[in-house]
Amino acid sequence: MQILLIEDEKRVADFICRGLKAEGFFCEQANDAATGLSFIKQHQYDLLIIDRMLPDMDGLTVCQRVRKQNTDIPILFLTAVDDTQEKVAGLRAGADDYLTKPFDFDELIARIEALGRRRSAHKPDKDSLQLGPLLINVGERSVYVDGEAVDLTSLEFDLLLYLVQTDGKVVSRERIINAVWGVNTDPLTNIVDVYIRRLRKKIDRHPEQSFIETKRGVGYRFSAK
């Protein structure tokens, strides 16, 4: 899971992110609302963890702004106030769950996993994706370009599907490594670049019009042609 933590207490944020990475999650942190909202516009996340009180904007307002743009991303609120009305206000603003500080880390993990299962259960199952001349059959794990079958390895297929499912957003090499290879560190610094080149050779009909765009210094983005 790709998780964004918006928490202004750096010590708390560092502790949470370290713990989540140790559990196999990808965790990115923002220390204020403005940075967090900027990250959300640029990247695709599976879960947001938002502190109720932020220095530049109330957590409720952050939640409401996110909900105007994205109705299905799970949001978990963190708060130092154990008050029923506080929790009701957060849930009405669009949060899916609430956790009161201080909390047991095992409970945080359990709530994250529950929110992930809930989202998966409500996500529509699309067996095939048509993206211009590119057709991806998810169930059969097959790919066609202009009606011709393309022979991809299992990792190449997973990489292509991940890029497609990020909805046209730029994703970093670190995110790709975490999502496709399932690790938080890159064991071989250019492994993503190597697989991107292999994918391009197989699915691009015109090298100057690649499905996979390089954003220098940032990462990669899928674009249907």
Side-chain angles (χ1 to χ4, degrees), residues 22 34 56 68 80 86 98 154 204 207 215:
D56 55 339
K68 287 181 180 179
E86 183 84 2
Y98 230 103
S154 180
D204 290 342
K215 297 298 180 181

Side-chain angles (χ1 to χ4, degrees), residues 31 34 42 49 56 66 74 80-81 93 103-104 121 123 130 133 139 144 147 160 186-187 207 223:
N31 298 124
Q42 298 173 42
I49 302 176
D56 55 339
V66 171
V81 182
F103 52 81
D104 186 273
K123 191 177 290 186
Q130 183 74 55
Y144 301 84
L160 176 61
D186 188 346
S223 176

Side-chain angles (χ1 to χ4, degrees), residues 85-103:
Q85 291 305 313
E86 183 84 2
K87 294 178 181 180
V88 169
L91 295 170
R92 285 179 173 168
D96 296 281
D97 203 354
Y98 230 103
L99 192 57
T100 304
K101 300 177 184 176
F103 52 81

Side-chain angles (χ1 to χ4, degrees), residues 19 37 43 63 67 70 95 105 109 139 150 155 169 192 194-195 215-216:
L37 289 170
H43 305 297
C63 188
R67 282 291 174 246
N70 192 322
F105 198 78
I109 296 298
V150 179
L155 265 175
K169 293 185 178 180
V192 173
V194 169
Y195 270 81
K215 297 298 180 181
R216 197 170 301 278

Side-chain angles (χ1 to χ4, degrees), residues 160-223:
L160 176 61
L161 186 61
Y162 173 70
L163 291 172
V164 167
Q165 291 177 333
T166 53
D167 297 326
K169 293 185 178 180
V170 178
V171 287
S172 67
R173 290 169 177 80
E174 292 78 13
R175 287 175 180 278
I176 294 171
I177 279 287
N178 179 260
V180 178
W181 278 264
V183 293
N184 287 313
T185 56
D186 188 346
L188 182 62
T189 54
N190 69 337
I191 191 169
V192 173
D193 305 313
V194 169
Y195 270 81
I196 291 291
R197 285 197 295 270
R198 287 168 57 171
L199 257 184
R200 283 172 170 161
K201 285 182 180 179
K202 292 185 177 184
I203 66 174
D204 290 342
R205 291 297 179 258
H206 305 286
E208 66 278 4
Q209 294 182 332
S210 178
F211 285 105
I212 304 170
E213 299 176 357
T214 301
K215 297 298 180 181
R216 197 170 301 278
V218 183
Y220 295 100
R221 182 174 81 93
F222 181 87
S223 176

Side-chain angles (χ1 to χ4, degrees), residues 57-77:
M57 189 183 300
D58 186 278
L60 295 178
T61 304
V62 176
C63 188
Q64 289 166 344
R65 290 194 180 186
V66 171
R67 282 291 174 246
K68 287 181 180 179
Q69 304 297 324
N70 192 322
T71 58
D72 67 342
I73 185 169
I75 297 176
L76 173 61
F77 257 12

